[in-house]
Amino acid sequence: MTEAQYAFTHFLRMFVLMAVISAGYGYLIISVVMTRKRAFILQFLSLAGLGALFSFLVFRSDGMWSGAPEVSQAILIGMFTATVIFYMFCLLIRAVGWLIAR
């Protein structure tokens, strides 16, 4: 099996993906362990489910199969997409709730 030579920008992108995923999942895991509220448990399960769904969708795309498919890359991109979308909706819901309560 030949090893692919990646550029520095590829490693930088993967580092950013891993940082966002670690921060997103880490916050929820710490919240679940410290407070044990149902809301955080449901958020964690929904984030994990979204991550699995988006990873599957990325893996099934035609662009992924143009060469040898990389499962780890599909999982990272899917989890990153799910994390960004999940927290985008969390912030949107909090902003709307703050405006309504005001």
Side-chain angles (χ1 to χ4, degrees), residues 13-75:
R13 275 185 261 158
M14 288 298 134
F15 177 76
V16 170
L17 269 113
M18 289 299 295
V20 168
I21 292 168
S22 300
Y25 277 85
Y27 170 74
L28 282 179
I29 289 171
I30 290 171
S31 298
V32 166
V33 170
M34 297 300 273
T35 61
R36 293 193 177 140
K37 290 185 178 178
R38 286 187 196 152
F40 288 121
I41 294 170
L42 290 174
Q43 286 178 359
F44 178 71
L45 292 176
S46 63
L47 180 58
L50 275 176
L53 174 70
F54 282 118
S55 296
F56 178 72
L57 291 175
V58 169
F59 187 70
R60 295 280 299 167
S61 70
D62 291 335
M64 193 68 174
W65 291 93
S66 60
E70 294 185 20
V71 177
S72 60
Q73 186 177 8
I75 290 172

Side-chain angles (χ1 to χ4, degrees), residues 82-94:
T83 305
V84 169
I85 290 173
F86 178 80
Y87 280 105
M88 180 187 65
F89 278 116
C90 282
L91 289 175
L92 181 67
I93 289 170
R94 285 184 184 174

